[in-house]
């Protein structure tokens, strides 16, 4: 199994970072504006990505399989790109002085393909967007996200 | 073995991206200003990182083990943090319309540790610095690099 892992720290208390990761409104502020509840049951979210021109680039859905306040968030993807089905995204939070350290993982890829490399780079920029949202109130969720390559 | 991989594309011809990766002056423009030849023999470089205040944060040396014009650059680390010794950094370039796609790898980590996650995030920001250097003439090499966490 292959994991993408990143580490970033944010000048904010744990609770503020946790809120940005554990609520629909939070996720919509740094990942994609089109984040919606998929059903009223069980904590599933659907995310949709568009180009700046409005064309749909892709959509994914995931179950929120762990929410430990101010500590751990874990998602499991149930639909989206074939490579993502069954993978998990994890956020582990810990305090460090006046900062919160976020240990990010996108885990259990079946293999490392070129799309994995794209996603790794893209996640890094979304983590910068998360930090910007928490520290300044403004993130860069899709469709305003930084384009990193000819795929997105 | 664990690999960090990223994918980015740059609006410039292959030769211009290759120059930024294969010369001392290029590397000093996006990774760290303090890039120097380690010896007159065999293509070894030494890089030194400082904080904005001028304190030394670390230094590494690597052999340039492959230079295939406009296509592949490969470094092998011979000194630096213990986790880096023996690892390799690879840049694979390919054209895509008016862009150059860079497939980056930092390969052969013995295990995935928290420092790996830090380096993955940090490499992503240095690749943005590389893109900025090639597209605009100005990168963000250390000590002007984007700080991503409480480690650097």
């Amino acid at each position: 199994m292959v994991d993408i892992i990143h580490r970033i720290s944010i000048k904010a208390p744990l609770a503020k970072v946790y809120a940005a990761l554990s609520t629909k409104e939070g996720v919509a502020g740094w990942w994609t504006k089109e984040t919606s509840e998929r059903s009223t049951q069980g904590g599933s979210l659907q995310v949709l990505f568009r180009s700046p021109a409005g064309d749909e680039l892709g959509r994914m859905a995931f179950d929120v399989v762990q929410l430990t306040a101010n500590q751990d968030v874990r998602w499991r993807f149930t639909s989206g790109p074939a490579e993502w089905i069954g993978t998990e995204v994890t956020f582990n939070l810990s305090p460090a002085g006046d900062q919160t350290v976020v240990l990010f993982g996108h885990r259990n890829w079946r293999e490392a393909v070129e799309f994995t490399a794209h996603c790794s780079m893209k996640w890094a920029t979304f983590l910068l967007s998360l930090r910007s949202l928490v520290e300044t109130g403004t993130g860069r969720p899709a469709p305003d996200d930084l384009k990193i390559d000819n795929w997105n």
Side-chain angles (χ1 to χ4, degrees), chain A:
Chain A
M1 291 293 192
V2 171
D3 295 345
I4 294 166
I5 55 174
H6 292 306
R7 185 183 194 275
I8 192 169
S9 62
I10 300 176
K11 290 189 183 68
L14 286 165
K16 201 167 170 192
V17 178
Y18 182 73
L21 297 171
S22 60
T23 66
K24 176 173 69 97
E25 293 72 22
V27 173
W30 64 269
W31 197 24
T32 176
K33 288 182 181 174
E34 294 190 62
T35 298
S36 55
E37 254 133 312
R38 200 186 189 192
S39 71
T40 52
Q41 300 287 320
S44 293
L45 292 180
Q46 180 165 287
V47 287
L48 195 153
F49 295 82
R50 290 187 199 276
S51 72
D55 299 318
E56 184 175 325
L57 297 173
R59 63 173 76 206
M60 304 135 186
F62 57 88
D63 294 336
V64 180
V65 292
Q66 186 181 3
L67 284 177
T68 305
N70 304 336
Q71 192 177 310
D72 283 296
V73 173
R74 191 154 56 94
W75 303 338
R76 185 176 301 139
F77 284 86
T78 55
S79 72
E83 295 91 339
W84 281 43
I85 311 290
T87 63
E88 293 194 348
V89 161
T90 59
F91 301 91
N92 174 260
L93 310 185
S94 60
D98 63 344
Q99 302 189 41
T100 293
V101 174
V102 180
L103 213 52
F104 166 88
H106 185 178
R107 301 175 185 281
N108 301 335
W109 287 68
R110 280 184 298 277
E111 55 181 338
V113 294
E114 197 162 340
F115 182 51
T116 319
H118 166 84
C119 292
S120 179
M121 184 72 204
K122 195 80 190 178
W123 276 122
T125 62
F126 280 122
L127 291 169
L128 294 173
S129 170
L130 167 69
R131 176 161 82 176
S132 174
L133 173 70
V134 173
E135 292 186 353
T136 74
T138 307
R140 286 192 65 175
D144 304 326
D145 52 321
L146 183 70
K147 301 305 174 187
I148 52 119
D149 61 18
N150 58 329
W151 290 348
N152 184 26

